[in-house]
Amino acid sequence: MTDVSGMALSRVATAIAEPARARMLCALMDGHARTSTELAVIAEVAPSTASAHLARLAELALVRRYPQGRHRYYALEDPRVAEALEGLMVIGQSDAPSFAPNTPRRLCFARTCYDHMAGELAVVLHDACLGAGWLVPAAEAGSDYRLSEEGERVFHDMGVDVRSVRARRRRFARPCMDWSMRRPHLAGALGAALLDHAMGRAWVRRELDGRALRLTSKGRRALERRFDIQLPD
């Protein structure tokens, strides 16, 4: 690692390590933009302090400003930030003698990770896709996935326009380590498309806090049938 990259990593790590900033970043992992006032409440700091924190996060390209009228909205810079935060949550729990997360059950079961699905439900779907041979991992662990011919057909029959998903200017499909399950779920453009499709079909619905997802009875039937799985209650 060069001195320049080491210094850059140190600056980012220092920014994320500050508790108020960490709370802001975690709140933005649901993919929604929020005002500095809303983030000040979440971080439990004064508005002026929140503004200073957000300026620092924006300077490091962790969040992006969206001016609109009298307000400034903030969101994560891009999905890579959410995925990095998810990975840090895994590392932060790695010193526990046994894995027993104290996260609320509804968040452990299903939630958003920026623009794709996370939690137990997402891990089950990810594993089903791998087990059926629809997702084909690269030779190098942690690298992108590709869809097999059967996988292309399954997602197309489900109503996901794979061609347009593949044309998006981002990585197509990749594993993202799930901090509550300690196993990968599906990220990338395909993971985002799957979440959009599931919400559009009312298979899952957002809970009031914005990040938790509720699996509907309709969604349970559809996912169990299409992915040939048995979902936990």
Side-chain angles (χ1 to χ4, degrees):
M1 180 182 294
T2 66
D3 290 343
V4 173
S5 60
M7 290 175 62
L9 177 60
S10 177
R11 288 196 298 270
V12 171
T14 300
I16 294 176
E18 205 289 325
R21 293 175 191 155
R23 285 193 288 268
M24 291 177 178
L25 291 169
C26 289
L28 294 173
M29 284 178 68
D30 64 2
H32 289 172
R34 291 179 170 82
T35 66
S36 59
T37 301
E38 292 169 333
L39 290 169
V41 173
I42 291 170
E44 300 178 357
V45 296
S48 58
T49 303
S51 295
H53 283 321
L54 290 165
R56 180 60 173 158
L57 294 174
E59 177 187 347
L60 294 170
L62 295 173
V63 301
R64 179 178 295 186
R65 298 185 186 94
Y66 294 91
Q68 186 171 320
R70 298 173 57 189
H71 298 287
R72 282 187 178 181
Y73 289 85
Y74 293 84
L76 294 185
E77 178 69 24
D78 59 40
R80 293 174 300 174
V81 178
E83 292 167 13
L85 292 170
E86 190 90 3
L88 287 172
M89 290 176 182
V90 174
I91 296 171
Q93 296 178 0
S94 62
D95 58 349
S98 62
F99 179 52
N102 57 7
T103 308
R105 171 61 187 162
R106 62 197 180 93
L107 280 175
C108 283
F109 179 68
R111 63 184 183 277
T112 55
C113 177
Y114 193 69
D115 61 356
H116 58 270
M117 195 184 309
E120 184 178 0
L121 175 59
V123 171
V124 170
L125 296 178
H126 168 273
D127 290 352
C129 288
L130 283 178
W134 302 339
L135 282 177
V136 181
E140 183 180 352
S143 297
D144 290 6
Y145 295 133
R146 63 177 177 85
L147 279 177
S148 65
E149 290 187 8
E150 178 68 9
E152 294 258 0
R153 184 191 65 77
V154 168
F155 276 84
H156 180 271
D157 290 348
M158 194 188 308
V160 176
D161 187 346
V162 176
R163 180 176 297 180
S164 66
V165 172
R166 188 173 277 112
R168 297 177 186 175
R169 298 183 63 181
R170 60 181 295 189
R171 294 170 69 177
F172 174 66
R174 65 178 300 273
C176 177
M177 185 59 67
D178 194 286
W179 63 262
S180 63
M181 292 294 292
R182 302 289 188 90
R183 291 166 57 199
H185 56 244
L186 178 62
L190 185 62
L194 180 58
L195 175 58
D196 288 344
H197 184 74
M199 294 187 66
R201 294 292 180 92
W203 294 351
V204 295
R205 297 185 185 279
R206 287 188 186 272
E207 294 285 11
L208 292 179
D209 68 1
R211 195 173 179 209
L213 295 172
R214 178 173 59 84
L215 177 66
T216 65
S217 56
K218 175 184 177 182
R220 178 182 293 274
R221 292 192 299 269
L223 293 173
E224 288 185 338
R225 181 179 71 255
R226 291 184 178 276
F227 288 84
D228 191 23
I229 54 177
Q230 183 67 43
L231 292 172
D233 294 332

